Amino acid sequence: MSRSLLLGPGKTLRKDLSLEELRAAKRDRGGVLWIDLKASDDDTQTILSDVFAFHPLAIEDCYNDHVDTPKIDDYGDYLFVVAQSIRYVSRTDRLSLFEIDTFVGPNYVVTVRQQEIPAIDDLFDRASENGRYLERGADFLTHTILDSLIDLLLPSVEEMDEAIDDLERRILDRPDRELLPEVLLLKRNTLRLRRSILPQRDMVNRLSRGEFSHLIRPEAQIFYRDVYDHIVRVEEMLDGLRDLADGALSSYLSSVNNRMNEVMKAMSVVAVIFLPLTLIASIYGTNLDFSPFGIEFRQGFLLMLGAMIAVAAATFGYFRYRGWF
């Protein structure tokens, strides 16, 4: 079921209002109303379309299965704000985005989501205990909601930064094959998060510069600028993470190539040393009656073996002198 809070005159806080009470609260500009809805709730459609008469396109966006790009639409009497945040479990998991849709009116805020968002649940519980989150108006409440979503980004980005540092250390120690999927996954997560941040930055910037002054008051705009600064900070960190991820991938490929070069060099040294020995053995292994020392020459085998050892030692010494291994 839907949840609702109404901070009325005298700072009286009411919870879980009926549909008729919601209609009355919408008309009464003396209070501030927050309704938190889940798209799967039975009464969500009724509240959105009947009680508040929101635009069908905005309602349709609330029921999309995919995560919409952050945006803001001005419908005159209210704003429709689509915001995103992330759920980052660990570096071995694909980063997942979730969406919260917010209708901002002169005296109400309606949030719609398709899944559990602990940050919003925690904020709603705190607002249920303390009306100070609603007493400053719908525009300040919307700022608090957006700020709680943006605050989820920084710990995840810092964890991704630590994961890349650990991967670089492990790559330098031993570039195992299982490290490559982790590097590529971190790189994809960084790019995916950055693609989400850019439109959200522009959306918050529009809220902070007075473009919607009929609903976002001047005294609230500075708080939106603070959220904008947080997003810019996260964006700068993501740019650094992207470079670190590229560096980790380059380090892995370089380490693998160096390791392969060492193996190829060792094999080449062995092949070059045994090449003249094979030549000598093949010459003296021919089935001909004539040979330089005669077939009956008793010391022929020892002489050939000594020549092979001398050639191998000379080749090995030359390689060592040139510093090739």
Side-chain angles (χ1 to χ4, degrees):
M1 295 293 292
S2 62
R3 302 185 298 177
S4 57
L5 293 175
L6 174 62
L7 185 67
K11 297 184 179 180
T12 57
L13 191 62
R14 299 169 58 191
K15 306 177 184 178
D16 299 330
L17 282 70
S18 65
L19 293 180
E20 291 302 323
E21 290 173 327
L22 292 178
R23 290 188 177 94
K26 177 193 174 185
R27 294 190 298 266
D28 183 10
R29 299 296 179 92
V32 178
L33 174 66
W34 181 12
I35 306 177
D36 182 42
L37 303 172
K38 293 182 182 178
S40 58
D41 291 341
D42 297 334
D43 56 351
T44 296
Q45 181 68 36
T46 302
I47 293 174
L48 295 179
S49 58
D50 296 342
V51 176
F52 288 91
F54 291 135
H55 197 281
L57 290 177
I59 297 177
E60 182 181 351
D61 286 341
C62 296
Y63 285 92
N64 282 340
D65 293 332
H66 63 276
V67 179
D68 293 316
T69 302
K71 66 175 182 177
I72 180 169
D73 294 329
D74 187 359
Y75 288 97
D77 295 336
Y78 60 90
L79 301 176
F80 178 60
V81 179
V82 177
Q84 290 182 357
S85 193
I86 64 171
R87 182 175 291 105
Y88 181 70
V89 180
S90 69
R91 66 188 181 197
T92 58
D93 294 320
R94 186 174 183 266
L95 180 144
S96 60
L97 299 173
F98 59 79
E99 169 190 341
I100 181 168
D101 303 310
T102 306
F103 296 89
V104 186
N107 65 325
Y108 62 83
V109 174
V110 179
T111 54
V112 185
R113 48 202 171 108
Q114 298 225 11
Q115 56 184 304
E116 296 289 339
I117 303 178
I120 301 301
D121 291 333
D122 180 65
L123 179 60
F124 193 92
D125 292 339
R126 284 184 280 130
S128 301
E129 299 172 359
N130 190 339
R132 67 183 180 87
Y133 292 98
L134 284 75
E135 63 185 9
R136 302 186 69 179
D139 48 1
F140 279 91
L141 176 58
T142 304
H143 154 265
T144 305
I145 294 172
L146 292 177
D147 190 43
S148 64
L149 295 177
I150 300 304
D151 287 343
L152 296 176
L153 299 177
L154 190 58
S156 299
V157 172
E158 291 176 346
E159 184 178 349
M160 293 167 67
D161 188 16
E162 294 175 358
I164 290 180
D165 289 340
D166 179 63
L167 277 174
E168 287 183 330
R169 179 186 57 80
R170 293 165 60 192
I171 286 172
L172 293 177
D173 291 342
R174 185 177 180 85
D176 292 329
R177 185 175 299 176
E178 61 267 16
L179 295 180
L180 181 58
E182 293 187 32
V183 175
L184 294 177
L185 180 60
L186 273 172
K187 183 178 174 64
R188 286 195 298 269
N189 284 342
T190 302
L191 294 176
R192 192 160 186 254
L193 180 55
R194 192 174 186 277
R195 286 196 298 268
S196 170
I197 284 292
L198 293 180
Q200 190 140 292
R201 180 199 62 186
D202 296 337
M203 180 264 291
V204 175
N205 186 36
R206 294 179 64 190
L207 291 169
S208 68
R209 67 189 184 194
E211 185 175 341
F212 310 102
S213 56
H214 58 295
L215 290 170
I216 307 298
R217 293 169 293 172
E219 57 266 31
Q221 292 169 12
I222 188 172
F223 289 89
Y224 285 95
R225 284 197 288 271
D226 180 67
V227 177
Y228 176 79
D229 292 339
H230 290 172
I231 296 179
V232 171
R233 180 186 174 192
V234 172
E235 181 185 359
E236 292 174 349
M237 294 179 64
L238 287 174
D239 289 337
L241 280 179
R242 182 182 57 182
D243 295 337
L244 289 175
D246 290 337
L249 181 59
S250 299
S251 298
Y252 173 82
L253 296 177
S254 297
S255 299
V256 170
N257 289 333
N258 290 336
R259 192 173 178 183
M260 184 177 298
N261 289 338
E262 291 294 329
V263 173
M264 294 302 298
K265 184 169 64 175
M267 295 177 64
S268 299
V269 168
V270 172
V272 171
I273 290 177
F274 278 89
L275 185 60
L277 310 187
T278 304
L279 177 62
I280 295 174
S282 61
I283 291 175
Y284 280 91
T286 54
N287 296 321
L288 297 175
D289 293 337
F290 173 78
S291 64
F293 300 101
I295 297 177
E296 302 297 332
F297 186 61
R298 292 177 176 270
Q299 287 77 26
F301 174 77
L302 297 177
L303 182 62
M304 182 186 66
L305 190 60
M308 294 171 67
I309 294 174
V311 170
T315 305
F316 181 82
Y318 178 75
F319 287 163
R320 294 286 291 180
Y321 172 75
R322 295 298 299 269
W324 289 351
F325 68 93

